[in-house]
Amino acid sequence: MASARASSSLLLFTSSVLLFATLCAATVPYAPGLLESFYNDTCPQAASIVRSYVLKYLTTDSSFAGAFNRLQFHDCWVQGCDGSVLLNSTSTNSAEREAHVNFGLRGLQEVDEIKAALEYACPGVVSCADLLILAARDATFLAGGPWWPVGLGRRDSRVSNDLSADGNLPFPVFPFDILVANFASKNFNAREMVVLSGAHTIGRSHCNGILPHIYNFTGGNNETDTDPTLNPGFAAYLKRNCPFGNRDNSIPIDSTSDKFDNAYYKNVQNGKGVFITDSTLITTTLGNSIVSSFAEGDSTFFQEFADAMVKMGNLGVLTGSQGEIRQKCQFVN
């Protein structure tokens, strides 16, 4: 269960929500079957349990903010927000978490711990899918980002497949037009794609997704095949921390990686995007205009990010009698 330290910090957290948070209204309608009040009668403490554990993890390692944010995206973008990214592989099936695009996925063990606490308090009530939505929202806020209300009532799927993940999630080497097409397939426009790319303002990344940017930009696969638009000093920094062939090292993905802010867009403008998908945002007039607006402090970034996260949370949800409420997020019941 959550430590006494986390419990006392939770009180401060709740107070700060009221006093200092950027509170974003729910301007995007929830998918049918989702309600902010869904657990009010069956597990009223659900949100506070998730929040206390997220706070505990971020107090120990602030980079978990990015990990929890990534988990929502990597779950919802593949067959909907159904907790499928959390399922283990079996002897006959390779699950989403084994996909190439999910290399280095973090937070899975922490999600299991949160789920155990929810099951202790309210057995068989709160889904793993909803847990991910709550954790991403709380982690974003704790890192200095916006707070937004969330609709709840999702249920968990029984299906997870690595090929589905690799076929739906954007790889970190996608150029602008392919990114736009990928997001359009989920009914997100180019601006929303650039907004959600702002999640790269928090957390860390393994070098696996960075290597093509500094060693294989044109397919040469050598130590000089680097994106020529990268700031030379930044390219050298990436190469020091991600040596040729080393997929496993990890680095912060933003100059203020512990804080949710607009520094990401400033970095992209200055040739300091970690991934090809970052640097590509300013290769078109449209993308460059949006990045410039947020880099200059456009006050709508927090609200637009919150709206996009709520919209993402509506993707492919299972409600009512669909799916199940898993007892453990790694396994179907």
Short mmCIF file of all heavy atoms in Angstrom, two decimals, residues 186-235:
data_model
loop_
_atom_site.label_atom_id
_atom_site.label_comp_id
_atom_site.label_asym_id
_atom_site.label_seq_id
_atom_site.Cartn_x
_atom_site.Cartn_y
_atom_site.Cartn_z
N LYS A 186 -6.76 8.09 -36.93
CA LYS A 186 -7.47 8.07 -35.65
C LYS A 186 -8.36 9.30 -35.48
O LYS A 186 -8.83 9.61 -34.38
CB LYS A 186 -6.47 8.00 -34.48
CG LYS A 186 -5.42 6.93 -34.60
CD LYS A 186 -6.00 5.53 -34.58
CE LYS A 186 -4.88 4.49 -34.70
NZ LYS A 186 -5.40 3.11 -34.79
N ASN A 187 -8.54 10.03 -36.59
CA ASN A 187 -9.38 11.24 -36.60
C ASN A 187 -8.76 12.40 -35.82
O ASN A 187 -9.46 13.21 -35.23
CB ASN A 187 -10.79 10.94 -36.08
CG ASN A 187 -11.80 12.01 -36.48
OD1 ASN A 187 -11.68 12.62 -37.55
ND2 ASN A 187 -12.78 12.26 -35.63
N PHE A 188 -7.43 12.49 -35.84
CA PHE A 188 -6.71 13.63 -35.27
C PHE A 188 -6.09 14.41 -36.41
O PHE A 188 -5.52 13.82 -37.33
CB PHE A 188 -5.62 13.16 -34.31
CG PHE A 188 -6.13 12.70 -32.97
CD1 PHE A 188 -6.81 11.49 -32.84
CD2 PHE A 188 -5.93 13.47 -31.83
CE1 PHE A 188 -7.27 11.06 -31.61
CE2 PHE A 188 -6.40 13.05 -30.59
CZ PHE A 188 -7.07 11.85 -30.48
N ASN A 189 -6.16 15.74 -36.35
CA ASN A 189 -5.60 16.55 -37.42
C ASN A 189 -4.13 16.88 -37.15
O ASN A 189 -3.57 16.51 -36.12
CB ASN A 189 -6.44 17.82 -37.64
CG ASN A 189 -6.50 18.71 -36.41
OD1 ASN A 189 -5.53 18.82 -35.66
ND2 ASN A 189 -7.64 19.37 -36.20
N ALA A 190 -3.52 17.60 -38.08
CA ALA A 190 -2.10 17.89 -37.99
C ALA A 190 -1.77 18.72 -36.76
O ALA A 190 -0.75 18.50 -36.10
CB ALA A 190 -1.63 18.61 -39.25
N ARG A 191 -2.64 19.68 -36.43
CA ARG A 191 -2.38 20.48 -35.24
C ARG A 191 -2.40 19.62 -33.98
O ARG A 191 -1.55 19.78 -33.10
CB ARG A 191 -3.39 21.63 -35.13
CG ARG A 191 -3.11 22.56 -33.96
CD ARG A 191 -4.08 23.73 -33.88
NE ARG A 191 -3.73 24.61 -32.78
CZ ARG A 191 -2.90 25.64 -32.85
NH1 ARG A 191 -2.33 25.94 -34.02
NH2 ARG A 191 -2.63 26.39 -31.80
N GLU A 192 -3.37 18.73 -33.89
CA GLU A 192 -3.45 17.84 -32.73
C GLU A 192 -2.23 16.93 -32.65
O GLU A 192 -1.76 16.59 -31.55
CB GLU A 192 -4.74 17.03 -32.78
CG GLU A 192 -5.99 17.86 -32.54
CD GLU A 192 -7.27 17.12 -32.86
OE1 GLU A 192 -7.31 16.40 -33.89
OE2 GLU A 192 -8.25 17.28 -32.11
N MET A 193 -1.70 16.55 -33.81
CA MET A 193 -0.48 15.74 -33.82
C MET A 193 0.68 16.52 -33.21
O MET A 193 1.45 16.00 -32.38
CB MET A 193 -0.15 15.30 -35.25
CG MET A 193 1.11 14.45 -35.38
SD MET A 193 2.61 15.44 -35.64
CE MET A 193 2.35 16.01 -37.32
N VAL A 194 0.83 17.78 -33.60
CA VAL A 194 1.92 18.60 -33.06
C VAL A 194 1.69 18.86 -31.56
O VAL A 194 2.64 18.86 -30.77
CB VAL A 194 2.03 19.93 -33.83
CG1 VAL A 194 3.11 20.81 -33.22
CG2 VAL A 194 2.34 19.65 -35.31
N VAL A 195 0.45 19.05 -31.16
CA VAL A 195 0.12 19.24 -29.75
C VAL A 195 0.53 18.02 -28.93
O VAL A 195 1.20 18.13 -27.90
CB VAL A 195 -1.39 19.54 -29.57
CG1 VAL A 195 -1.79 19.42 -28.10
CG2 VAL A 195 -1.72 20.93 -30.09
N LEU A 196 0.13 16.84 -29.38
CA LEU A 196 0.45 15.63 -28.63
C LEU A 196 1.94 15.30 -28.67
O LEU A 196 2.46 14.66 -27.75
CB LEU A 196 -0.37 14.45 -29.15
CG LEU A 196 -1.85 14.47 -28.74
CD1 LEU A 196 -2.63 13.39 -29.47
CD2 LEU A 196 -1.99 14.30 -27.23
N SER A 197 2.63 15.76 -29.70
CA SER A 197 4.09 15.61 -29.72
C SER A 197 4.72 16.34 -28.55
O SER A 197 5.82 15.99 -28.10
CB SER A 197 4.68 16.14 -31.04
OG SER A 197 4.23 15.39 -32.14
N GLY A 198 4.03 17.33 -28.03
CA GLY A 198 4.50 18.07 -26.86
C GLY A 198 4.65 17.22 -25.62
O GLY A 198 5.29 17.64 -24.65
N ALA A 199 4.10 16.00 -25.63
CA ALA A 199 4.33 15.08 -24.52
C ALA A 199 5.81 14.75 -24.38
O ALA A 199 6.26 14.30 -23.31
CB ALA A 199 3.52 13.80 -24.72
N HIS A 200 6.58 14.99 -25.43
CA HIS A 200 8.02 14.73 -25.38
C HIS A 200 8.75 15.78 -24.55
O HIS A 200 9.98 15.78 -24.49
CB HIS A 200 8.61 14.69 -26.79
CG HIS A 200 8.24 13.46 -27.55
ND1 HIS A 200 8.61 13.24 -28.87
CD2 HIS A 200 7.51 12.37 -27.20
CE1 HIS A 200 8.12 12.09 -29.29
NE2 HIS A 200 7.45 11.54 -28.29
N THR A 201 8.02 16.63 -23.88
CA THR A 201 8.64 17.58 -22.96
C THR A 201 8.97 16.94 -21.63
O THR A 201 9.64 17.54 -20.80
CB THR A 201 7.73 18.81 -22.74
OG1 THR A 201 8.46 19.80 -22.01
CG2 THR A 201 6.49 18.44 -21.95
N ILE A 202 8.51 15.70 -21.39
CA ILE A 202 8.80 15.03 -20.12
C ILE A 202 9.30 13.61 -20.37
O ILE A 202 8.92 12.96 -21.35
CB ILE A 202 7.56 14.97 -19.20
CG1 ILE A 202 6.32 14.47 -19.96
CG2 ILE A 202 7.31 16.31 -18.54
CD1 ILE A 202 5.09 14.27 -19.10
N GLY A 203 10.16 13.14 -19.48
CA GLY A 203 10.57 11.75 -19.51
C GLY A 203 11.92 11.49 -20.17
O GLY A 203 12.69 12.40 -20.45
N ARG A 204 12.17 10.21 -20.38
CA ARG A 204 13.42 9.75 -20.96
C ARG A 204 13.12 8.81 -22.13
O ARG A 204 11.99 8.34 -22.28
CB ARG A 204 14.26 8.97 -19.92
CG ARG A 204 14.62 9.76 -18.69
CD ARG A 204 15.41 8.92 -17.70
NE ARG A 204 16.72 8.52 -18.22
CZ ARG A 204 17.80 9.28 -18.14
NH1 ARG A 204 17.75 10.46 -17.56
NH2 ARG A 204 18.96 8.85 -18.63
N SER A 205 14.14 8.55 -22.93
CA SER A 205 14.01 7.57 -24.01
C SER A 205 15.25 6.70 -24.08
O SER A 205 16.37 7.17 -23.85
CB SER A 205 13.81 8.26 -25.36
OG SER A 205 13.86 7.33 -26.42
N HIS A 206 15.03 5.43 -24.40
CA HIS A 206 16.17 4.59 -24.74
C HIS A 206 16.72 5.04 -26.09
O HIS A 206 16.02 5.65 -26.90
CB HIS A 206 15.74 3.12 -24.81
CG HIS A 206 15.51 2.51 -23.47
ND1 HIS A 206 14.30 2.63 -22.82
CD2 HIS A 206 16.32 1.80 -22.65
CE1 HIS A 206 14.38 2.00 -21.65
NE2 HIS A 206 15.59 1.49 -21.53
N CYS A 207 17.96 4.71 -26.32
CA CYS A 207 18.62 5.14 -27.56
C CYS A 207 18.07 4.46 -28.80
O CYS A 207 18.32 4.92 -29.92
CB CYS A 207 20.12 4.89 -27.46
SG CYS A 207 20.94 5.97 -26.25
N ASN A 208 17.33 3.39 -28.61
CA ASN A 208 16.82 2.63 -29.75
C ASN A 208 16.13 3.52 -30.79
O ASN A 208 16.35 3.36 -31.99
CB ASN A 208 15.83 1.57 -29.24
CG ASN A 208 15.32 0.68 -30.34
OD1 ASN A 208 16.08 -0.02 -30.99
ND2 ASN A 208 14.01 0.70 -30.57
N GLY A 209 15.29 4.45 -30.33
CA GLY A 209 14.57 5.31 -31.24
C GLY A 209 15.35 6.53 -31.71
O GLY A 209 14.91 7.26 -32.60
N ILE A 210 16.53 6.73 -31.11
CA ILE A 210 17.35 7.90 -31.42
C ILE A 210 18.43 7.57 -32.45
O ILE A 210 18.82 8.42 -33.27
CB ILE A 210 18.01 8.44 -30.13
CG1 ILE A 210 16.92 8.81 -29.12
CG2 ILE A 210 18.92 9.62 -30.41
CD1 ILE A 210 17.44 9.10 -27.72
N LEU A 211 18.89 6.34 -32.45
CA LEU A 211 20.00 5.94 -33.33
C LEU A 211 19.78 6.28 -34.80
O LEU A 211 20.71 6.77 -35.47
CB LEU A 211 20.28 4.44 -33.17
CG LEU A 211 20.77 3.97 -31.80
CD1 LEU A 211 20.99 2.46 -31.80
CD2 LEU A 211 22.06 4.68 -31.40
N PRO A 212 18.56 6.07 -35.37
CA PRO A 212 18.38 6.42 -36.78
C PRO A 212 18.57 7.91 -37.07
O PRO A 212 18.94 8.27 -38.20
CB PRO A 212 16.93 6.00 -37.07
CG PRO A 212 16.62 4.96 -36.04
CD PRO A 212 17.37 5.39 -34.82
N HIS A 213 18.36 8.73 -36.07
CA HIS A 213 18.49 10.18 -36.25
C HIS A 213 19.95 10.61 -36.37
O HIS A 213 20.27 11.61 -37.04
CB HIS A 213 17.85 10.89 -35.05
CG HIS A 213 17.38 12.27 -35.34
ND1 HIS A 213 16.90 13.12 -34.37
CD2 HIS A 213 17.30 12.98 -36.49
CE1 HIS A 213 16.55 14.27 -34.89
NE2 HIS A 213 16.78 14.21 -36.19
N ILE A 214 20.84 9.85 -35.76
CA ILE A 214 22.25 10.27 -35.72
C ILE A 214 23.21 9.35 -36.47
O ILE A 214 24.35 9.74 -36.73
CB ILE A 214 22.72 10.43 -34.26
CG1 ILE A 214 22.42 9.17 -33.44
CG2 ILE A 214 22.07 11.65 -33.61
CD1 ILE A 214 22.92 9.23 -31.99
N TYR A 215 22.73 8.15 -36.86
CA TYR A 215 23.62 7.21 -37.56
C TYR A 215 23.03 6.61 -38.83
O TYR A 215 23.74 5.91 -39.56
CB TYR A 215 23.99 6.05 -36.62
CG TYR A 215 24.71 6.45 -35.36
CD1 TYR A 215 24.16 6.15 -34.11
CD2 TYR A 215 25.94 7.10 -35.40
CE1 TYR A 215 24.81 6.49 -32.93
CE2 TYR A 215 26.60 7.46 -34.23
CZ TYR A 215 26.03 7.16 -33.00
OH TYR A 215 26.68 7.50 -31.84
N ASN A 216 21.75 6.83 -39.08
CA ASN A 216 21.14 6.15 -40.23
C ASN A 216 20.06 7.03 -40.87
O ASN A 216 19.03 6.54 -41.31
CB ASN A 216 20.53 4.82 -39.77
CG ASN A 216 20.28 3.86 -40.90
OD1 ASN A 216 20.97 3.89 -41.91
ND2 ASN A 216 19.27 3.01 -40.75
N PHE A 217 20.34 8.32 -40.94
CA PHE A 217 19.32 9.27 -41.39
C PHE A 217 18.93 9.05 -42.84
O PHE A 217 17.76 9.20 -43.21
CB PHE A 217 19.80 10.70 -41.16
CG PHE A 217 18.75 11.74 -41.45
CD1 PHE A 217 17.63 11.85 -40.63
CD2 PHE A 217 18.87 12.60 -42.53
CE1 PHE A 217 16.65 12.80 -40.88
CE2 PHE A 217 17.89 13.56 -42.79
CZ PHE A 217 16.78 13.65 -41.96
N THR A 218 19.89 8.70 -43.67
CA THR A 218 19.60 8.46 -45.09
C THR A 218 19.76 7.00 -45.48
O THR A 218 19.74 6.66 -46.66
CB THR A 218 20.50 9.33 -45.99
OG1 THR A 218 21.87 8.90 -45.82
CG2 THR A 218 20.36 10.80 -45.66
N GLY A 219 19.93 6.13 -44.48
CA GLY A 219 20.10 4.71 -44.75
C GLY A 219 21.54 4.26 -44.83
O GLY A 219 21.82 3.11 -45.16
N GLY A 220 22.46 5.16 -44.51
CA GLY A 220 23.88 4.82 -44.61
C GLY A 220 24.38 3.93 -43.48
O GLY A 220 25.36 3.22 -43.63
N ASN A 221 23.72 4.03 -42.32
CA ASN A 221 24.06 3.22 -41.16
C ASN A 221 25.55 3.31 -40.82
O ASN A 221 26.27 2.30 -40.74
CB ASN A 221 23.66 1.75 -41.38
CG ASN A 221 23.64 0.97 -40.07
OD1 ASN A 221 23.34 1.53 -39.02
ND2 ASN A 221 23.94 -0.32 -40.14
N ASN A 222 26.01 4.54 -40.60
CA ASN A 222 27.39 4.76 -40.17
C ASN A 222 27.44 6.00 -39.29
O ASN A 222 26.45 6.72 -39.14
CB ASN A 222 28.33 4.89 -41.38
CG ASN A 222 27.94 6.06 -42.27
OD1 ASN A 222 28.00 7.21 -41.86
ND2 ASN A 222 27.53 5.75 -43.50
N GLU A 223 28.58 6.27 -38.72
CA GLU A 223 28.69 7.30 -37.70
C GLU A 223 28.61 8.73 -38.26
O GLU A 223 28.57 9.68 -37.48
CB GLU A 223 29.98 7.10 -36.91
CG GLU A 223 29.99 5.78 -36.14
CD GLU A 223 31.09 5.70 -35.11
OE1 GLU A 223 31.73 6.73 -34.85
OE2 GLU A 223 31.29 4.62 -34.55
N THR A 224 28.56 8.87 -39.55
CA THR A 224 28.45 10.21 -40.13
C THR A 224 27.08 10.48 -40.75
O THR A 224 26.83 11.60 -41.20
CB THR A 224 29.53 10.44 -41.20
OG1 THR A 224 29.33 9.51 -42.28
CG2 THR A 224 30.92 10.23 -40.62
N ASP A 225 26.22 9.46 -40.78
CA ASP A 225 24.91 9.61 -41.43
C ASP A 225 23.91 10.22 -40.44
O ASP A 225 23.00 9.57 -39.94
CB ASP A 225 24.42 8.26 -41.93
CG ASP A 225 23.22 8.40 -42.86
OD1 ASP A 225 22.93 9.53 -43.29
OD2 ASP A 225 22.58 7.37 -43.15
N THR A 226 24.09 11.52 -40.19
CA THR A 226 23.33 12.25 -39.17
C THR A 226 22.43 13.27 -39.82
O THR A 226 22.78 13.87 -40.84
CB THR A 226 24.31 12.97 -38.21
OG1 THR A 226 25.22 12.01 -37.66
CG2 THR A 226 23.57 13.68 -37.08
N ASP A 227 21.27 13.48 -39.26
CA ASP A 227 20.34 14.51 -39.75
C ASP A 227 21.09 15.84 -39.80
O ASP A 227 21.52 16.36 -38.78
CB ASP A 227 19.15 14.60 -38.79
CG ASP A 227 18.13 15.66 -39.20
OD1 ASP A 227 18.36 16.39 -40.18
OD2 ASP A 227 17.08 15.76 -38.52
N PRO A 228 21.26 16.42 -41.00
CA PRO A 228 22.05 17.66 -41.12
C PRO A 228 21.38 18.87 -40.47
O PRO A 228 22.04 19.89 -40.24
CB PRO A 228 22.18 17.85 -42.64
CG PRO A 228 21.00 17.12 -43.22
CD PRO A 228 20.78 15.94 -42.30
N THR A 229 20.09 18.76 -40.15
CA THR A 229 19.41 19.90 -39.52
C THR A 229 19.61 19.92 -38.00
O THR A 229 19.23 20.90 -37.35
CB THR A 229 17.90 19.88 -39.83
OG1 THR A 229 17.29 18.76 -39.16
CG2 THR A 229 17.63 19.80 -41.30
N LEU A 230 20.19 18.86 -37.45
CA LEU A 230 20.45 18.85 -36.01
C LEU A 230 21.51 19.88 -35.64
O LEU A 230 22.50 20.06 -36.37
CB LEU A 230 20.92 17.47 -35.56
CG LEU A 230 19.87 16.40 -35.24
CD1 LEU A 230 20.56 15.08 -34.89
CD2 LEU A 230 18.97 16.85 -34.10
N ASN A 231 21.31 20.55 -34.52
CA ASN A 231 22.34 21.41 -33.97
C ASN A 231 23.61 20.57 -33.76
O ASN A 231 23.55 19.51 -33.14
CB ASN A 231 21.85 21.97 -32.64
CG ASN A 231 22.90 22.80 -31.92
OD1 ASN A 231 23.85 22.26 -31.38
ND2 ASN A 231 22.68 24.10 -31.90
N PRO A 232 24.77 21.00 -34.30
CA PRO A 232 25.98 20.17 -34.22
C PRO A 232 26.37 19.78 -32.80
O PRO A 232 26.76 18.63 -32.55
CB PRO A 232 27.06 21.05 -34.87
CG PRO A 232 26.29 21.95 -35.79
CD PRO A 232 24.99 22.22 -35.09
N GLY A 233 26.25 20.73 -31.87
CA GLY A 233 26.58 20.42 -30.49
C GLY A 233 25.63 19.41 -29.89
O GLY A 233 26.03 18.52 -29.12
N PHE A 234 24.35 19.51 -30.28
CA PHE A 234 23.35 18.57 -29.77
C PHE A 234 23.56 17.19 -30.38
O PHE A 234 23.43 16.17 -29.69
CB PHE A 234 21.94 19.09 -30.08
CG PHE A 234 20.85 18.27 -29.46
CD1 PHE A 234 20.67 18.23 -28.09
CD2 PHE A 234 20.00 17.52 -30.26
CE1 PHE A 234 19.66 17.48 -27.51
CE2 PHE A 234 18.98 16.75 -29.70
CZ PHE A 234 18.82 16.73 -28.32
N ALA A 235 23.91 17.16 -31.66
CA ALA A 235 24.19 15.88 -32.31
C ALA A 235 25.37 15.19 -31.62
O ALA A 235 25.35 13.97 -31.39
CB ALA A 235 24.49 16.09 -33.79
#
